[in-house]
Amino acid sequence: MSTICTSVDFHTAGEPFRIIAEPPVEIPGRIVAERRELAGPGSAADDLRRLLCFEPRGHADMYGGFITEPDDDGADFGVLFWHKDGFSTACGHGTMALGAWAVSSGIVAVDPSGTTEVTIDVPSGRVRAQVHTDAEGRAASVDFVNVPSRLFSSGITVDTNRGPITVDLAWGGAIYALVDIAQLGAAAGSSQADEVGRLGEMSCEVIPENLTALIALGREVKAGLADHPDTVHPEDDRLSGVYGTIFVDRFGTLPGGELHQRNVTVFADGQVDRSPCGSGTAARVAALHAASELAPGQTLVHESIVGTRFRARVLEETADGVIPVVTGSAHRVATSTFEVDPLDDLVPGFVLR
């Protein structure tokens, strides 16, 4: 039996994050963005990703990260985020988990003030996890302070099997297509209604019963935007392309004045975020701010398809967008040692979606 590596697994608002503190393979590259670029098919890092993410050791919706050296002395460490289809540019729920992990493991000492800042280099830039600890030094909540985020474009029409759908494109460390789900009622009543059955029956709500249809539609929207010029990142082409589709259900305001919305993010190739999606929430905040729908100082209560919540707001306005801060909690669920039996023919494994 061959031991491969040890992981520490967290969940953030229900979404898994598997941390490999000491990857047993070389991950070349000078900075994290370059490491992501070099970690393509056939690389040792990609082989390890598949082993840890594919069944029977993982599953189609697994998420994780390899800890790396930071880009420079200004960060505590770097991370190469991964999922079943490859390596991503950003991961807000993962950043929260990494903050809680860094404090609980002693990598970053707990600040006596009760707020400990963990600085992390990711492919989209430098982010911060502000970990709020209780009297016993445990991570009670984490603020994800993201890279500058902004609305790229709005009112783009994408043809789907439910008819034409209008989307906005926003950046939150990755590019997301934002879809107000209420419009799907009108789309389903269009001349293409006979095609709807191909995606299954679906009400205009972000609820678990609609998930299969929303996965299929999210893939359609992403594919329909593949060649759109607004999906090209203006500063770094390595960050181009739609990462995910976010379906949004609007609920108005809560009694305390917070804006309340529910979403489900379908990212990569049909992967579903169980949390409200950290970088997606940052993109949503940027889009709402640009449309003057999120008032100065107002909080967005962003709910996931399983009912967990992030709270988000604009921390700072920039020349062309905002710095969002997204608050949630992350909890340790397991420590695992992964092994490979030399007689096992399911290596690296398989995925069914």
Side-chain angles (χ1 to χ4, degrees), residues 121-147:
D121 284 328
V122 308
S124 58
R126 181 162 287 174
V127 298
R128 291 177 288 148
Q130 295 174 334
V131 183
H132 302 284
T133 50
D134 63 12
E136 297 181 24
R138 299 173 301 187
S141 66
V142 185
D143 297 337
F144 163 48
V145 183
N146 200 11
V147 298

Side-chain angles (χ1 to χ4, degrees), residues 37-228:
E37 193 174 22
L38 296 174
S43 68
D46 195 56
D47 289 344
L48 181 61
R49 172 194 67 82
R50 292 189 297 151
L51 183 76
L52 296 169
C53 197
F54 289 6
E55 295 186 53
R57 297 164 191 83
H59 53 79
D61 293 291
M62 178 53 69
Y63 214 113
F66 299 141
I67 303 302
T68 73
E69 291 296 317
D71 292 356
D72 58 45
D73 292 340
D76 294 297
F77 52 85
V79 61
L80 194 59
F81 295 124
W82 47 259
H83 48 73
K84 78 173 178 68
D85 299 302
F87 296 91
S88 58
T89 61
C91 180
H93 89 274
T95 299
M96 294 183 201
L98 288 165
W101 166 76
V103 168
S104 66
S105 63
I107 291 173
V108 177
V110 175
D111 192 303
S113 69
T115 300
T116 303
E117 187 156 297
V118 181
T119 304
I120 308 168
D121 284 328
V122 308
S124 58
R126 181 162 287 174
V127 298
R128 291 177 288 148
Q130 295 174 334
V131 183
H132 302 284
T133 50
D134 63 12
E136 297 181 24
R138 299 173 301 187
S141 66
V142 185
D143 297 337
F144 163 48
V145 183
N146 200 11
V147 298
S149 304
R150 61 189 186 272
L151 179 69
F152 273 6
S153 59
S154 59
I156 298 171
T157 299
V158 180
D159 290 326
T160 74
N161 282 326
R162 294 188 68 91
I165 291 176
T166 301
V167 309
D168 297 339
L169 291 174
W171 166 259
I175 301 173
Y176 290 93
L178 309 178
V179 179
D180 279 338
I181 199 168
Q183 69 179 290
L184 299 184
S190 72
S191 60
Q192 297 188 8
D194 290 343
E195 302 264 0
V196 174
R198 292 170 56 184
L199 297 181
E201 295 296 325
M202 181 173 68
S203 61
C204 299
E205 301 171 277
V206 175
I207 54 176
E209 293 81 357
N210 288 336
L211 186 58
T212 299
L214 288 170
I215 291 171
L217 189 56
R219 282 170 154 167
E220 269 203 276
V221 170
K222 181 175 178 177
L225 292 165
D227 298 319
H228 198 284

Side-chain angles (χ1 to χ4, degrees), residues 244-324:
T245 304
I246 302 178
F247 295 100
V248 178
D249 214 344
R250 297 171 178 262
F251 298 132
T253 56
L254 294 169
E258 303 100 330
L259 192 63
H260 182 202
Q261 299 184 354
R262 181 187 296 147
N263 89 94
V264 63
T265 301
V266 180
F267 64 95
D269 185 19
Q271 198 161 340
V272 177
D273 200 324
R274 274 73 173 154
S275 82
C277 186
S279 56
T281 296
R284 185 65 181 160
V285 165
L288 291 169
H289 174 269
S292 299
E293 294 185 62
L294 189 66
Q298 188 179 25
T299 295
L300 168 66
V301 176
H302 217 203
E303 188 174 321
S304 75
I305 196 167
V306 300
T308 54
R309 292 180 170 186
F310 289 159
R311 299 174 64 86
R313 58 185 174 84
V314 172
L315 181 65
E316 178 186 341
E317 294 190 22
T318 67
D320 59 350
V322 297
I323 303 290

